[in-house]
Amino acid sequence: TMPTREENFALVKEAIRANLAPNYRMDQVDQMRGTLLSAEKAMATKREDFVIPPISKDKYVCKVCGNRDQRYFQLMSSGGDVVCLGKDGTGCGNVVEERHRHEGAAFRNFAEDKEDRNHHGPVADRLYSAAHNMRTDLVGKSASAVRLRQIADQVELGLSNLGKDERRTRVGYKDQHKKKAVNRIKSAVMALSLHPTVVERAHELFASLRDEREAIRDFDCVLAACAIQAAEENFRSETTSQDAKRSDDLAVPAATKYALLSFPT
């Protein structure tokens, strides 16, 4: 007889555990899954709003009338000048900046299969810190480029907790830990040909636990728990969709089905 969907998924779970956490039993991984969900729930209530600092923030001060209220400075579309409207908008007319720079995308790209020529960096990832999203990536394979990347990583780690409690785990280290985790999870999930959303969901689970805790023990067990929990949620979603579709098919009368298949004479 053909194995059921539940039996097939049990094999998938075991394959994930064997790949990511071979030294842990399945009951230990299942226990860790409960810890993950608790951490995610806790972080949902205390996670700070995700804010990426703007590239630049103009602060205008009119030298004529002394206006500092940014609401009363207007960008003129004709020449690109920024004009002061006066205190409380009563009128001034002083040009505080000429030819205001535009910080939008340099190139418009409508086709998904074409390379994006803009150079503002990738879209910010809410699972990482603002410092990580705003970092400058150094490219190159030479020894000097590798050394520069190592120095940049060390500097960012040192600055990640600047002005914060030194006893807490550095934010930069947590970001590096998340990258390491998602790379291992992705390798295991892709080897089983699972849906890419499994990797995304597992990444979210690990990021929540990493942000909620100062230290993570049983790293391999955590990875397996993230991947299995994400895979099970995806499995349940697909099962629900398939069952709903089957119910809809059964609800259609047989006569209607035959009518749809018949051709006019």
Side-chain angles (χ1 to χ4, degrees), residues 5 184 201:
R5 288 179 297 181
R184 286 192 55 189
R201 176 58 178 149

Side-chain angles (χ1 to χ4, degrees), residues 187-206:
S187 177
V189 169
M190 293 296 101
L192 295 172
S193 301
L194 300 181
H195 198 278
T197 55
V198 175
V199 178
E200 298 174 6
R201 176 58 178 149
H203 193 188
E204 292 177 355
L205 290 168
F206 183 86

Side-chain angles (χ1 to χ4, degrees), residues 9 13 33 36-37 40 195 197-198 200-202 204-205 225-241:
F9 181 69
K13 288 176 57 178
R33 289 169 59 188
L36 287 174
L37 296 176
E40 183 181 45
H195 198 278
T197 55
V198 175
E200 298 174 6
R201 176 58 178 149
E204 292 177 355
L205 290 168
C226 291
I228 290 175
Q229 178 63 32
E232 183 168 303
E233 291 178 7
N234 182 71
F235 170 74
R236 290 176 179 173
S237 177
E238 289 182 347
T239 300
T240 301
S241 299

